């Protein structure tokens, strides 16, 4: 069976504090991009277990891949699973703030649950996914959501951007998430992203931002230049996703300007 783990973008991202467990409190809206996805296949394999990957460059150590970690989590509870062959084809850029690895791990849990009729509830799958990473539980439900806590509190919202064009750009820069968090100055403030997201898209520019943009774009002006390019091309709203380095622009339906970017940059209309 084959599934297609999709990317997401952050519409607004605010880090509001640090928790006793070391994680940060955040507010964000996660929006799935179903047309930008990887492909994951899992089949029983009599010759033994295996993991193959094609497409974008993988982690140096395959054991760190979230698909493998997800399989180990499920095997802890269901050791009777047969030997499996897993094939992952990567198209979502790595380390880009779009949750590609998180989606792969979460979809592995979902696919194993379906293939082997494990009977895991959505909530139980989210509990397992949280053990893989903070973004992973979102991809279990995979619906536009207001996300708080470290990412485990997921509230589906009524947000439909199908009437717009979304352009995703990535300059191929890997931004360390740990470094990006270290650049933030946490301040007491009132964040009402769940209210701001209800405003018209063309008003988001004045209301909704990403806390990581200031330090990341100062360190990597290429990312700032991409955001400016999107607004110059007529985007209603443009932002960095996650801690970077992807930026996205939301354009009116039918408006797909020909945007010139550096050779080697990733570009995708969704």
């Amino acid at each position: 069976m084959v599934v297609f783990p999709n990317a997401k973008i952050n519409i607004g991202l605010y880090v509001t504090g640090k928790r006793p467990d070391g994680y940060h409190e955040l507010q964000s809206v996660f929006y799935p991009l179903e047309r930008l996805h990887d492909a994951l296949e899992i089949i029983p394999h009599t010759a033994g277990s295996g993991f193959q990957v094609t497409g974008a460059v993988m982690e140096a150590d395959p054991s760190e891949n979230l698909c493998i970690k997800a399989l180990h989590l499920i095997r802890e509870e269901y050791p009777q699973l047969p030997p499996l062959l897993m094939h992952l084809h990567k198209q979502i850029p790595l380390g880009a703030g779009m949750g590609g690895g998180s989606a792969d791990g979460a979809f592995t849990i979902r696919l194993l649950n379906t293939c082997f009729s494990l009977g895991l509830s959505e909530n139980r799958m989210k509990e397992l996914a949280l053990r893989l990473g903070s973004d992973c539980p979102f991809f279990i439900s995979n619906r536009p959501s207001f996300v708080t806590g470290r990412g485990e509190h997921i509230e589906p919202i009524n947000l439909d951007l199908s009437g717009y064009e979304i352009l995703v750009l990535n300059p191929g820069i890997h931004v360390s998430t740990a470094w990006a968090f270290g650049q933030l100055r946490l301040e007491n403030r009132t964040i009402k992203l769940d209210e701001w997201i209800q405003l018209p898209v063309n008003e988001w520019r004045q209301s909704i931002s990403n806390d990581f943009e200031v330090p990341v774009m100062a360190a990597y002006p290429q990312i700032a230049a991409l955001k400016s390019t999107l607004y110059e091309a007529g985007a209603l709203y443009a932002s960095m996703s996650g801690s970077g380095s992807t930026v996205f622009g939301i354009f009116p339906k039918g408006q797909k300007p020909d945007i010139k970017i550096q050779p080697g940059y990733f570009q995708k209309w969704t």
Side-chain angles (χ1 to χ4, degrees), residues 47-258:
S49 297
F51 180 61
Q52 300 175 349
V53 63
T54 56
V57 178
M58 272 283 294
E59 295 88 346
D61 183 358
S63 67
E64 292 300 307
N65 184 273
L66 292 184
C67 295
I68 298 297
K69 290 187 174 183
L71 175 59
H72 291 332
L73 276 181
I74 297 297
R75 281 198 188 279
E76 288 176 7
E77 298 193 17
Y78 299 92
Q80 71 273 22
L81 288 181
L84 301 172
L85 178 61
M86 303 174 65
H87 177 209
L88 176 65
H89 180 71
K90 289 293 299 178
Q91 297 187 100
I92 303 170
L94 298 176
M98 290 189 289
S102 298
D104 296 336
F107 271 69
T108 299
I109 293 173
R110 291 172 50 178
L111 184 53
L112 291 170
N113 187 48
T114 300
C115 284
F116 299 101
S117 303
L118 302 181
L120 295 171
S121 67
E122 181 173 304
N123 284 339
R124 179 55 181 152
M125 287 191 287
K126 286 181 178 178
E127 290 173 357
L128 292 169
L130 186 61
R131 294 168 61 183
L132 298 176
S134 297
D135 287 355
C136 293
F138 163 75
F139 290 102
I140 298 296
S141 53
N142 205 31
R143 297 187 294 270
S145 299
F146 176 58
V147 178
T148 56
R150 56 170 279 204
E152 76 275 30
H153 301 306
I154 304 167
E155 179 185 345
I157 60 173
N158 183 23
L159 178 62
D160 182 5
L161 298 179
S162 61
Y164 299 87
E165 312 285 358
I166 302 177
L167 176 60
V168 173
L169 302 175
N170 183 274
I173 297 170
H174 178 77
V175 178
S176 165
T177 301
W179 171 86
F181 271 104
Q183 306 308 302
L184 299 179
R185 298 180 63 181
L186 303 182
E187 301 174 354
N188 291 326
R189 54 196 169 144
T190 300
I191 304 297
K192 297 182 179 180
L193 181 57
D194 54 337
E195 297 180 11
W196 301 337
I197 198 67
Q198 304 302 323
L199 296 170
V201 172
N202 60 4
E203 295 183 19
W204 287 356
R205 184 176 183 177
Q206 290 74 41
S207 307
I208 298 175
S209 61
N210 179 337
D211 281 348
F212 290 103
E213 284 194 356
V214 171
V216 170
M217 290 183 178
Y220 302 100
Q222 308 97 307
I223 302 174
L226 287 178
K227 181 180 176 180
S228 296
T229 296
L230 289 168
Y231 274 128
E232 291 167 2
L236 300 173
Y237 179 74
S239 180
M240 190 173 73
S241 185
S243 57
S245 57
T246 294
V247 296
F248 65 91
I250 302 176
F251 293 80
K253 191 70 172 180
Q255 182 177 325
K256 292 185 176 182
D258 184 16

Side-chain angles (χ1 to χ4, degrees), residues 9-74:
I9 52 175
N10 295 84
I11 303 174
L13 178 53
Y14 301 92
V15 181
T16 58
K18 193 167 185 179
R19 298 155 44 130
D21 61 8
Y23 289 99
H24 289 81
E25 293 282 350
L26 59 85
Q27 285 191 32
S28 186
V29 168
F30 287 9
Y31 191 86
L33 299 180
E34 295 184 357
R35 294 184 183 179
L36 175 54
H37 57 75
D38 297 334
L40 173 66
E41 181 181 30
I42 300 178
I43 57 174
H45 196 56
T46 56
S49 297
F51 180 61
Q52 300 175 349
V53 63
T54 56
V57 178
M58 272 283 294
E59 295 88 346
D61 183 358
S63 67
E64 292 300 307
N65 184 273
L66 292 184
C67 295
I68 298 297
K69 290 187 174 183
L71 175 59
H72 291 332
L73 276 181
I74 297 297

